[in-house]
Amino acid sequence: MPRKGENIYKRKDGRWEGRYIKSRTSCGKAVYASVYAKTYREVKQKVSMGAASIALPVASVSGKSPTSAILFSVLAEDWLNLMRPQIKESTYIKYYNLLSSYILPVYKDSKPESITPESLESFCNKLLVSGGKHKKGLSSKTVGDILALIKSIVKYSGKRGYSFPGSIKEISVKQKEPKMTVLSRSEQNQLCEYLLTHPSNKSLGILICLFTGLRIGEICALRWEDISFQENTIYVHSTMQRLQTPEDPVRKTRIIISTPKSSCSVRLIPIPSIITTLLCLETAIPSGGYNGTSIL
């Protein structure tokens, strides 16, 4: 079974084996290379170095591709493999899903010269109107992410000498500001009253969110050592996510705890006395102590 959704496995002899694409056949089929190491970290480093050193053949000076059979799907896969060591795992899963769910079903067998600015505009408009599982249209944010991903692949392809007709820089998706629902003071009081009279881990988590503004993933990743009862503060430095495992045929998802996406998300937040009191209740404190234990 692959480790962390990657093409890395632990062998029966105790060693770790990793695989990466080292070349492609004339029809674009991937040819894999294997590397081995005693630890997962070592083999992951070897895989990253091997993938980063492999690139598509550069097109000739005339601008023609070295093989007329090159497809957009090949360019997209090579770009994704090149980016994988440089991005967070959650970002990789996001790119993978956008490609497999929306982009490749339309452009998988297309050649670069057939993907025009007009076809991309039509593609984006169709996603806005009738995209998605229920054909009711995708949000402008999702379509914008899809377009940005295609632009990144086109930019990478251009550096390798594979040109697309026309410029797609001016193509954009107008973003709609999402409506924000804010609870009134009376609604907040009503919610607090219910949560305090129905104590549970879920109620505690909602109260922390209400009084601190923490995200759900940040609350789920909190540990007792992140809370200072002397200074009444919470140190936020991790987030919990459930990620898909597209390369694992057995397990569909898994939970990971990682650092936030940006350094600005690492912060120290003051907490009101009501939250401190709830956290100090005997029922909320684990009998085994604080070290490494989640608060929920």
Coordinates of all heavy atoms in Angstrom, one line a residue, residues 193-261:
E193 N -26.5 29.5 25.0 CA -27.4 28.8 26.0 C -27.6 27.4 25.7 O -27.5 26.5 26.6 CB -28.7 29.6 26.1 CG -29.6 29.0 27.2 CD -30.9 29.8 27.2 OE1 -31.1 30.9 26.6 OE2 -31.9 29.3 27.9
Y194 N -27.9 27.1 24.4 CA -28.1 25.7 24.1 C -26.8 24.8 24.2 O -26.8 23.7 24.8 CB -28.6 25.6 22.6 CG -28.7 24.2 22.1 CD1 -29.9 23.5 22.3 CD2 -27.7 23.5 21.5 CE1 -30.1 22.2 21.9 CE2 -27.8 22.2 21.0 CZ -29.0 21.5 21.3 OH -29.1 20.2 20.9
L195 N -25.7 25.4 23.8 CA -24.4 24.6 23.9 C -24.0 24.4 25.3 O -23.5 23.3 25.6 CB -23.3 25.4 23.1 CG -23.5 25.5 21.6 CD1 -22.4 26.5 21.0 CD2 -23.5 24.2 20.9
L196 N -24.2 25.4 26.2 CA -23.8 25.2 27.6 C -24.7 24.2 28.3 O -24.3 23.6 29.3 CB -23.9 26.6 28.3 CG -22.8 27.6 27.8 CD1 -23.1 29.0 28.4 CD2 -21.4 27.1 28.2
T197 N -26.0 24.1 27.9 CA -26.9 23.2 28.5 C -26.9 21.8 27.9 O -27.5 20.9 28.4 CB -28.3 23.7 28.5 OG1 -28.7 24.0 27.1 CG2 -28.5 24.9 29.3
H198 N -26.1 21.7 26.8 CA -25.9 20.4 26.1 C -24.4 20.1 25.9 O -23.9 20.2 24.8 CB -26.7 20.3 24.8 CG -28.2 20.4 24.9 ND1 -28.8 21.6 25.1 CD2 -29.1 19.5 24.8 CE1 -30.1 21.4 25.2 NE2 -30.3 20.1 25.0
P199 N -23.7 19.9 27.0 CA -22.2 19.8 26.9 C -21.8 18.5 26.2 O -22.3 17.5 26.3 CB -21.8 19.7 28.4 CG -23.0 19.2 29.1 CD -24.2 19.8 28.4
S200 N -20.8 18.7 25.3 CA -20.2 17.6 24.5 C -19.0 18.2 23.8 O -18.7 19.4 23.9 CB -21.2 17.1 23.5 OG -21.4 18.0 22.5
N201 N -18.2 17.3 23.3 CA -17.0 17.7 22.5 C -17.4 18.6 21.4 O -16.7 19.6 21.1 CB -16.2 16.5 22.0 CG -15.4 15.8 23.0 OD1 -15.3 16.4 24.1 ND2 -15.0 14.6 22.8
K202 N -18.5 18.3 20.7 CA -19.0 19.1 19.6 C -19.4 20.5 20.1 O -19.1 21.5 19.5 CB -20.2 18.4 18.9 CG -20.7 19.2 17.7 CD -21.9 18.5 17.0 CE -21.5 17.2 16.4 NZ -22.7 16.6 15.7
S203 N -20.1 20.6 21.2 CA -20.5 21.8 21.8 C -19.3 22.7 22.1 O -19.3 23.9 21.9 CB -21.4 21.6 23.0 OG -22.6 21.0 22.7
L204 N -18.3 22.1 22.7 CA -17.1 22.8 23.1 C -16.4 23.3 21.9 O -15.9 24.5 21.9 CB -16.2 21.9 23.9 CG -14.8 22.5 24.3 CD1 -15.0 23.7 25.2 CD2 -14.0 21.4 25.0
G205 N -16.3 22.5 20.8 CA -15.7 23.0 19.6 C -16.4 24.2 19.0 O -15.8 25.1 18.5
I206 N -17.8 24.2 19.0 CA -18.5 25.3 18.4 C -18.3 26.5 19.3 O -18.2 27.6 18.7 CB -20.0 24.9 18.4 CG1 -20.2 23.7 17.4 CG2 -20.9 26.1 17.9 CD1 -21.6 23.2 17.3
L207 N -18.3 26.4 20.6 CA -18.1 27.6 21.4 C -16.7 28.2 21.2 O -16.5 29.4 21.2 CB -18.2 27.1 22.9 CG -19.6 27.0 23.4 CD1 -19.6 26.3 24.8 CD2 -20.4 28.3 23.5
I208 N -15.7 27.3 21.1 CA -14.3 27.8 20.8 C -14.3 28.6 19.4 O -13.7 29.7 19.3 CB -13.3 26.7 20.7 CG1 -13.1 26.1 22.1 CG2 -11.9 27.2 20.2 CD1 -12.2 24.8 22.1
C209 N -15.0 28.0 18.4 CA -15.1 28.7 17.1 C -15.8 30.0 17.3 O -15.4 31.1 16.7 CB -15.9 27.8 16.2 SG -16.2 28.5 14.5
L210 N -16.9 30.1 18.1 CA -17.7 31.3 18.2 C -16.9 32.4 18.9 O -17.0 33.6 18.5 CB -19.0 31.0 19.0 CG -20.0 32.1 19.2 CD1 -20.5 32.6 17.9 CD2 -21.1 31.7 20.2
F211 N -16.1 32.1 19.9 CA -15.4 33.1 20.7 C -14.0 33.4 20.2 O -13.4 34.4 20.6 CB -15.3 32.6 22.1 CG -16.6 32.8 22.9 CD1 -17.5 31.8 23.0 CD2 -16.9 34.0 23.5 CE1 -18.7 31.9 23.7 CE2 -18.1 34.2 24.2 CZ -19.0 33.1 24.3
T212 N -13.5 32.6 19.3 CA -12.1 32.9 18.8 C -12.0 33.1 17.3 O -11.0 33.6 16.8 CB -11.2 31.7 19.2 OG1 -11.6 30.5 18.5 CG2 -11.2 31.5 20.7
G213 N -13.0 32.6 16.5 CA -12.9 32.7 15.1 C -12.0 31.6 14.4 O -11.7 31.7 13.2
L214 N -11.6 30.6 15.2 CA -10.8 29.5 14.6 C -11.5 28.7 13.5 O -12.8 28.6 13.6 CB -10.3 28.6 15.7 CG -8.9 28.8 16.3 CD1 -8.9 30.2 17.0 CD2 -8.5 27.7 17.2
R215 N -10.8 28.2 12.6 CA -11.4 27.4 11.5 C -11.6 26.0 12.1 O -11.0 25.6 13.1 CB -10.5 27.3 10.3 CG -10.2 28.6 9.7 CD -9.2 28.5 8.5 NE -8.9 29.8 7.9 CZ -7.8 30.5 8.3 NH1 -7.0 30.1 9.2 NH2 -7.6 31.6 7.7
I216 N -12.5 25.2 11.5 CA -12.8 23.9 12.0 C -11.6 23.0 12.0 O -11.3 22.3 13.0 CB -13.9 23.2 11.1 CG1 -15.2 24.0 11.2 CG2 -14.1 21.7 11.5 CD1 -16.3 23.4 10.3
G217 N -10.8 23.0 11.0 CA -9.6 22.2 11.0 C -8.6 22.6 12.0 O -7.9 21.8 12.6
E218 N -8.5 23.9 12.4 CA -7.6 24.4 13.4 C -8.1 23.9 14.8 O -7.3 23.5 15.6 CB -7.5 25.9 13.4 CG -6.8 26.4 12.1 CD -6.9 28.0 12.0 OE1 -7.9 28.5 12.6 OE2 -6.0 28.5 11.3
I219 N -9.4 23.9 15.0 CA -9.9 23.5 16.3 C -9.7 22.0 16.5 O -9.3 21.5 17.5 CB -11.4 23.8 16.4 CG1 -11.7 25.3 16.4 CG2 -12.1 23.1 17.6 CD1 -13.1 25.7 16.3
C220 N -9.9 21.2 15.4 CA -9.7 19.7 15.5 C -8.3 19.4 15.7 O -8.0 18.3 16.3 CB -10.2 19.1 14.2 SG -12.0 19.2 14.0
A221 N -7.3 20.2 15.3 CA -5.9 19.9 15.5 C -5.4 20.4 16.8 O -4.2 20.2 17.2 CB -5.1 20.6 14.4
L222 N -6.2 21.1 17.6 CA -5.7 21.7 18.9 C -5.3 20.5 19.9 O -6.0 19.5 20.0 CB -6.8 22.6 19.6 CG -6.9 24.0 19.0 CD1 -8.1 24.7 19.7 CD2 -5.6 24.8 19.1
R223 N -4.2 20.7 20.6 CA -3.8 19.8 21.7 C -3.7 20.6 23.0 O -3.7 21.9 23.0 CB -2.5 19.2 21.3 CG -2.5 18.3 20.1 CD -1.2 17.6 19.8 NE -1.3 16.8 18.6 CZ -1.8 15.5 18.6 NH1 -2.3 15.0 19.6 NH2 -1.9 14.9 17.4
W224 N -3.7 19.9 24.1 CA -3.8 20.6 25.4 C -2.6 21.5 25.6 O -2.7 22.5 26.2 CB -3.9 19.5 26.5 CG -5.2 18.9 26.6 CD1 -5.6 17.7 26.2 CD2 -6.4 19.5 27.1 NE1 -6.9 17.5 26.4 CE2 -7.4 18.6 27.0 CE3 -6.6 20.8 27.7 CZ2 -8.7 18.9 27.5 CZ3 -7.9 21.0 28.2 CH2 -9.0 20.1 28.0
E225 N -1.4 21.1 25.1 CA -0.2 21.9 25.3 C -0.3 23.2 24.5 O 0.5 24.1 24.7 CB 1.1 21.2 24.9 CG 1.1 20.6 23.5 CD 0.6 19.2 23.4 OE1 -0.2 18.8 24.2 OE2 1.2 18.4 22.5
D226 N -1.3 23.4 23.6 CA -1.5 24.6 22.8 C -2.2 25.7 23.6 O -2.3 26.8 23.2 CB -2.2 24.3 21.5 CG -1.5 23.4 20.6 OD1 -0.2 23.4 20.6 OD2 -2.1 22.6 19.8
I227 N -2.7 25.3 24.8 CA -3.6 26.2 25.6 C -2.8 26.6 26.8 O -2.2 25.8 27.5 CB -4.9 25.5 26.0 CG1 -5.7 25.1 24.8 CG2 -5.7 26.4 26.9 CD1 -6.8 24.2 25.0
S228 N -2.8 27.9 27.0 CA -2.1 28.5 28.2 C -3.2 28.9 29.2 O -3.9 29.9 28.9 CB -1.2 29.6 27.9 OG -0.7 30.3 29.1
F229 N -3.4 28.2 30.3 CA -4.4 28.6 31.3 C -4.0 29.8 32.1 O -4.8 30.5 32.7 CB -4.8 27.4 32.2 CG -5.4 26.3 31.5 CD1 -4.7 25.2 31.0 CD2 -6.8 26.4 31.2 CE1 -5.3 24.1 30.4 CE2 -7.4 25.3 30.5 CZ -6.7 24.2 30.1
Q230 N -2.6 30.0 32.2 CA -2.1 31.2 32.9 C -2.4 32.5 32.2 O -2.7 33.5 32.7 CB -0.6 31.0 33.2 CG -0.3 29.9 34.2 CD -0.4 28.5 33.6 OE1 -0.2 28.4 32.4 NE2 -0.7 27.5 34.4
E231 N -2.1 32.4 30.9 CA -2.3 33.6 30.0 C -3.6 33.7 29.3 O -3.9 34.7 28.6 CB -1.1 33.7 29.0 CG 0.2 33.8 29.7 CD 1.4 33.8 28.7 OE1 1.1 33.9 27.5 OE2 2.5 33.8 29.1
N232 N -4.4 32.7 29.4 CA -5.7 32.6 28.7 C -5.5 32.8 27.2 O -6.1 33.7 26.6 CB -6.7 33.7 29.2 CG -7.3 33.3 30.6 OD1 -7.1 32.1 31.1 ND2 -7.9 34.2 31.2
T233 N -4.7 32.0 26.6 CA -4.4 32.1 25.2 C -4.4 30.7 24.5 O -4.2 29.7 25.2 CB -3.1 32.7 24.9 OG1 -2.0 32.0 25.5 CG2 -3.1 34.2 25.3
I234 N -4.7 30.7 23.2 CA -4.5 29.4 22.4 C -3.5 29.7 21.3 O -3.6 30.7 20.6 CB -5.9 29.1 21.8 CG1 -6.9 28.6 22.8 CG2 -5.7 27.9 20.7 CD1 -8.3 28.3 22.2
Y235 N -2.6 28.8 21.2 CA -1.5 28.9 20.2 C -1.9 28.0 19.0 O -2.0 26.8 19.1 CB -0.2 28.4 20.8 CG 0.9 28.4 19.8 CD1 1.2 29.5 18.9 CD2 1.8 27.3 19.6 CE1 2.2 29.5 18.0 CE2 2.8 27.3 18.7 CZ 3.0 28.4 17.9 OH 4.1 28.3 17.0
V236 N -2.2 28.7 17.9 CA -2.7 28.0 16.7 C -1.5 27.8 15.7 O -0.9 28.8 15.3 CB -3.8 28.8 16.0 CG1 -4.3 28.1 14.8 CG2 -4.9 29.1 16.9
H237 N -1.2 26.6 15.4 CA 0.0 26.3 14.6 C -0.2 25.1 13.7 O 0.7 24.7 13.0 CB 1.3 26.1 15.4 CG 1.2 25.0 16.4 ND1 1.8 23.8 16.1 CD2 0.6 24.9 17.6 CE1 1.5 23.0 17.1 NE2 0.9 23.7 18.1
S238 N -1.4 24.4 13.8 CA -1.7 23.2 13.0 C -3.1 23.2 12.5 O -4.0 24.0 13.0 CB -1.4 22.0 13.8 OG -0.1 21.9 14.3
T239 N -3.3 22.4 11.5 CA -4.7 22.2 11.0 C -4.9 20.8 10.6 O -4.0 20.1 10.2 CB -4.9 23.1 9.8 OG1 -6.3 23.0 9.3 CG2 -4.1 22.8 8.6
M240 N -6.1 20.3 10.8 CA -6.5 18.9 10.5 C -7.3 18.9 9.2 O -8.2 19.7 9.0 CB -7.3 18.3 11.6 CG -7.7 16.9 11.4 SD -8.6 16.1 12.7 CE -7.4 15.9 14.0
Q241 N -7.0 18.0 8.3 CA -7.7 17.8 7.0 C -8.0 16.4 6.7 O -7.2 15.5 7.1 CB -6.9 18.4 5.9 CG -6.6 19.9 6.0 CD -5.7 20.4 4.9 OE1 -4.5 20.1 4.9 NE2 -6.2 21.1 3.9
R242 N -9.1 16.1 6.1 CA -9.3 14.8 5.5 C -9.1 14.8 4.0 O -9.8 15.6 3.3 CB -10.8 14.3 5.8 CG -11.1 12.9 5.3 CD -12.5 12.5 5.6 NE -12.6 12.2 7.0 CZ -12.3 11.0 7.6 NH1 -11.8 10.0 6.8 NH2 -12.5 10.8 8.8
L243 N -8.1 14.1 3.6 CA -7.7 14.2 2.2 C -8.1 12.9 1.5 O -8.0 11.8 2.1 CB -6.2 14.4 2.1 CG -5.6 15.7 2.7 CD1 -4.1 15.8 2.4 CD2 -6.3 16.9 2.1
Q244 N -8.4 13.0 0.2 CA -8.6 11.8 -0.6 C -7.3 11.1 -0.9 O -6.2 11.7 -0.9 CB -9.3 12.2 -1.9 CG -10.7 12.7 -1.8 CD -11.2 13.2 -3.1 OE1 -10.7 14.1 -3.7 NE2 -12.4 12.7 -3.5
T245 N -7.3 9.8 -1.1 CA -6.1 9.0 -1.5 C -6.4 8.4 -2.8 O -6.7 7.2 -2.9 CB -5.9 8.0 -0.4 OG1 -7.0 7.2 -0.2 CG2 -5.5 8.6 0.9
P246 N -6.2 9.2 -3.9 CA -6.6 8.6 -5.3 C -5.7 7.5 -5.7 O -6.2 6.7 -6.6 CB -6.4 9.9 -6.2 CG -5.4 10.7 -5.4 CD -5.7 10.5 -4.0
E247 N -4.5 7.3 -5.1 CA -3.7 6.2 -5.6 C -3.8 5.0 -4.7 O -3.1 4.0 -4.8 CB -2.2 6.7 -5.6 CG -2.0 7.8 -6.6 CD -0.6 8.5 -6.5 OE1 0.1 8.1 -5.5 OE2 -0.3 9.3 -7.3
D248 N -4.7 5.0 -3.7 CA -4.9 3.9 -2.8 C -6.2 3.3 -3.1 O -7.3 3.9 -2.9 CB -4.9 4.4 -1.3 CG -4.9 3.3 -0.3 OD1 -5.3 2.2 -0.7 OD2 -4.4 3.5 0.8
P249 N -6.2 2.0 -3.6 CA -7.5 1.4 -4.0 C -8.3 0.9 -2.8 O -9.5 0.6 -3.0 CB -7.0 0.2 -4.9 CG -5.6 -0.1 -4.3 CD -5.0 1.2 -3.9
V250 N -7.7 0.9 -1.6 CA -8.4 0.3 -0.5 C -9.1 1.5 0.4 O -10.2 1.4 0.6 CB -7.5 -0.5 0.4 CG1 -8.2 -1.0 1.7 CG2 -6.9 -1.7 -0.4
R251 N -8.2 2.5 0.7 CA -8.7 3.5 1.6 C -9.0 4.8 0.8 O -8.1 5.3 0.1 CB -7.6 3.8 2.7 CG -8.1 4.8 3.7 CD -7.1 4.9 4.8 NE -5.8 5.2 4.4 CZ -4.7 5.5 5.2 NH1 -4.9 5.4 6.5 NH2 -3.5 5.7 4.7
K252 N -10.2 5.3 0.8 CA -10.6 6.4 0.0 C -10.1 7.7 0.6 O -9.8 8.7 -0.2 CB -12.1 6.5 -0.1 CG -12.7 5.3 -0.9 CD -14.2 5.5 -1.1 CE -14.8 4.4 -1.9 NZ -16.3 4.5 -2.1
T253 N -10.0 7.9 1.9 CA -9.6 9.1 2.5 C -8.7 8.8 3.7 O -8.7 7.7 4.2 CB -10.8 10.0 3.0 OG1 -11.5 9.3 4.0 CG2 -11.7 10.3 1.8
R254 N -8.0 9.8 4.2 CA -7.3 9.7 5.4 C -7.1 11.1 6.1 O -7.3 12.1 5.4 CB -5.9 9.1 5.2 CG -5.0 10.0 4.4 CD -3.6 9.3 4.0 NE -2.8 10.1 3.3 CZ -1.9 11.0 3.9 NH1 -1.9 11.1 5.2 NH2 -1.2 11.8 3.2
I255 N -6.9 11.1 7.4 CA -6.8 12.4 8.1 C -5.3 12.7 8.3 O -4.5 11.8 8.7 CB -7.5 12.3 9.4 CG1 -9.0 12.1 9.2 CG2 -7.3 13.5 10.3 CD1 -9.8 11.9 10.4
I256 N -4.9 13.9 8.1 CA -3.6 14.4 8.4 C -3.6 15.7 9.2 O -4.6 16.4 9.1 CB -2.8 14.6 7.1 CG1 -3.3 15.8 6.3 CG2 -2.7 13.4 6.2 CD1 -2.4 16.3 5.2
I257 N -2.6 15.9 10.0 CA -2.4 17.2 10.7 C -1.1 17.8 10.2 O -0.1 17.2 10.2 CB -2.3 16.9 12.2 CG1 -3.7 16.4 12.8 CG2 -2.0 18.2 12.9 CD1 -3.6 16.1 14.3
S258 N -1.2 19.0 9.7 CA -0.1 19.6 9.1 C -0.1 21.1 9.4 O -1.0 21.6 10.1 CB -0.2 19.5 7.5 OG -1.3 20.1 7.0
T259 N 1.0 21.8 9.0 CA 1.1 23.2 9.3 C 0.1 24.0 8.4 O -0.3 23.5 7.3 CB 2.5 23.7 8.9 OG1 2.8 23.4 7.6 CG2 3.5 23.1 9.9
P260 N -0.3 25.2 8.8 CA -1.2 26.0 8.0 C -0.6 26.3 6.6 O 0.6 26.2 6.4 CB -1.5 27.2 8.8 CG -1.1 26.8 10.2 CD 0.0 25.8 10.1
K261 N -1.5 26.8 5.7 CA -1.0 27.1 4.4 C -0.1 28.3 4.3 O 0.8 28.3 3.5 CB -2.2 27.3 3.5 CG -2.0 27.2 2.0 CD -3.2 27.1 1.2 CE -3.0 26.7 -0.2 NZ -4.2 26.6 -1.0

